[in-house]
Amino acid sequence: MSESRQLPIPDDNPASGTSTPAVVPNLNDGNQVGTETTPQTSQSTPRDLRFWMVIVAMMVIEFLGAIELSSVATALPTIVGNLHGSEFSWVGAAYALGSTAILPMTGAIL
């Protein structure tokens, strides 16, 4: 009862009628036209002390920033209580705004 139909096989030619020529890959068998060869080095560049000092300084900065923000979150109930407030949300926003405003002056950008 059911009749099996075969779907047409699509061709790889685009609608414009042009097609990409088949290219056989050449691995290390001479220079090809239009390609430049650069020597590959298997050794990595040795890292000096200055590089590692910069990495350690960046890690310390990130750690101090995380400690600073978490200390505000920990002290939040005390801060709101001393200011006789009832909501906590404005304290974090005020701290972020204040630290952002002071940052250019401490970095001598202004």
Side-chain angles (χ1 to χ4, degrees):
M1 299 238 326
S2 68
E3 176 180 312
S4 68
R5 294 176 20 186
Q6 293 206 350
L7 297 174
I9 300 173
D11 57 353
D12 287 339
N13 292 332
S16 64
T18 59
S19 62
T20 306
V23 178
V24 178
N26 295 329
L27 300 175
N28 298 329
D29 67 345
N31 291 335
Q32 297 175 352
V33 176
T35 61
E36 297 179 16
T37 58
T38 57
Q40 298 286 334
T41 59
S42 62
Q43 297 176 349
S44 64
T45 325
R47 309 280 191 208
D48 59 346
L49 180 64
R50 191 168 79 181
F51 172 81
W52 292 111
M53 292 301 289
V54 168
I55 295 294
V56 168
M58 290 183 353
M59 290 170 59
V60 167
I61 288 169
E62 288 295 322
F63 177 71
L64 291 176
I67 291 291
E68 178 183 22
L69 291 177
S70 66
S71 66
V72 169
T74 304
L76 202 57
T78 307
I79 293 170
V80 172
N82 287 342
L83 296 175
H84 307 292
S86 62
E87 295 182 15
F88 289 85
S89 61
W90 64 270
V91 176
Y95 178 75
L97 182 64
S99 65
T100 303
I102 202 79
L103 187 65
M105 290 182 274
T106 59
I109 294 175
L110 293 176

